[in-house]
Amino acid sequence: DAGITQSPRHKVTETGTPVTLRCHQTENHRYMYWYRQDPGHGLRLIHYSYGVKDTDKGEVSDGYSVSRSKTEDFLLTLESATSSQTSVYFCAISESSGVGSPLHFGNGTRLTVT
Amino acid sequence: KNEVEQSPQNLTAQEGEFITINCSYSVGISALHWLQQHPGGGIVSLFMLSSGKKKHGRLIATINIQEKHSSLHITASHPRDSAVYICAVHAGNQFYFGTGTSLTVIP
């Protein structure tokens, strides 16, 4: 199994509080992604990174920010959590953007905003 | 508009049946992935393919690049195959996902 760890696995927080989710990889893969998974929707991209300090927005980036100061860590921050951000968050890694690049997922973080 | 469409959304089968899940996509891709997610569980990669056919045990995945279509087949289905199966395509720097097919195999 690819070495990818998400923390925390579960979190309950109140509306308006900041929250940071961490994704840590030991595979030295270049690409890292944050997705959210909600009923009735496929996995939706929040932000992704294509290298240290190189990030870009996905389709549902409003209310989220990311940082990647080291190859192995990709942080997702909810600056001021809202109930609409209650979701399961998955981190994924990929070696490259080219053909033959498998996608590996972390085990997910279940976030509840009350 | 969804870049990836899967069918059916839900599927119930008797143990031993042959199962087919379909995936159509609308973008140019470098590869297509089939993923499996058990209830409350993580997401596991089953196949990555860019042409032809691949087989792992009872699972077979095919892709037709010209028609922008892929199928996932499960032969001799078993209750442990019950899961959500997700089709994803790799286009540029991003992956696009179908909404998944929820499969239940009844003993």
Side-chain angles (χ1 to χ4, degrees):
Chain A
D1 289 342
I4 177 169
T5 306
Q6 288 185 234
S7 58
R9 292 295 312 278
H10 303 272
K11 185 165 181 69
V12 179
T13 192
E14 293 184 349
T15 298
T17 60
V19 177
T20 295
L21 309 183
R22 181 181 184 235
C23 178
H24 178 78
Q25 60 144 332
T26 58
E27 305 297 317
N28 201 36
H29 283 359
R30 179 181 175 192
Y31 287 82
M32 299 186 76
Y33 305 84
W34 276 109
Y35 297 97
R36 58 179 291 173
Q37 186 179 45
D38 304 289
H41 295 273
L43 287 155
R44 292 184 291 174
L45 181 65
I46 305 171
H47 283 276
Y48 71 100
S49 170
Y50 47 96
V52 173
K53 293 185 169 38
D54 292 324
T55 65
D56 206 350
K57 296 179 179 180
E59 64 177 300
V60 291
S61 59
D62 287 349
Y64 302 94
S65 63
V66 290
S67 66
R68 191 170 179 198
S69 58
K70 299 184 289 185
T71 298
E72 57 266 35
D73 289 324
F74 193 33
L75 304 180
L76 177 69
T77 297
L78 291 65
E79 301 291 346
S80 178
T82 68
S83 59
S84 65
Q85 293 175 312
T86 293
S87 186
V88 180
Y89 292 85
F90 284 96
C91 175
I93 62 173
S94 178
E95 190 168 14
S96 74
S97 64
V99 175
S101 182
L103 184 63
H104 302 286
F105 286 86
N107 287 325
T109 295
R110 185 173 295 275
L111 177 68
T112 302
V113 183
T114 61
Chain B
K1 179 185 182 296
N2 293 330
E3 290 82 2
V4 180
E5 299 281 355
Q6 282 184 243
S7 64
Q9 284 191 317
N10 297 285
L11 182 56
T12 301
Q14 292 289 331
E15 184 174 357
E17 286 186 7
F18 180 85
I19 289 163
T20 295
I21 300 170
N22 295 301
C23 174
S24 296
Y25 55 92
S26 59
V27 294
I29 69 170
S30 56
L32 182 142
H33 300 251
W34 281 102
L35 311 170
Q36 180 191 56
Q37 184 176 27
H38 281 102
I43 301 170
V44 176
S45 179
L46 297 175
F47 293 102
M48 178 184 65
L49 63 166
S50 54
S51 65
K53 176 179 175 178
K54 287 191 175 181
K55 184 175 187 290
H56 290 158
R58 296 180 293 105
L59 273 61
I60 303 166
T62 65
I63 187 169
N64 184 318
I65 297 295
Q66 288 73 31
E67 295 185 4
K68 295 188 174 179
H69 181 269
S70 176
S71 294
L72 176 68
H73 306 286
I74 304 175
T75 62
S77 59
H78 189 277
R80 65 176 174 266
D81 296 326
S82 297
V84 175
Y85 293 84
I86 302 169
C87 174
V89 298
H90 195 173
N93 285 343
Q94 296 192 28
F95 293 83
Y96 299 93
F97 299 85
T99 54
T101 295
S102 179
L103 171 65
T104 302
V105 181
I106 300 170

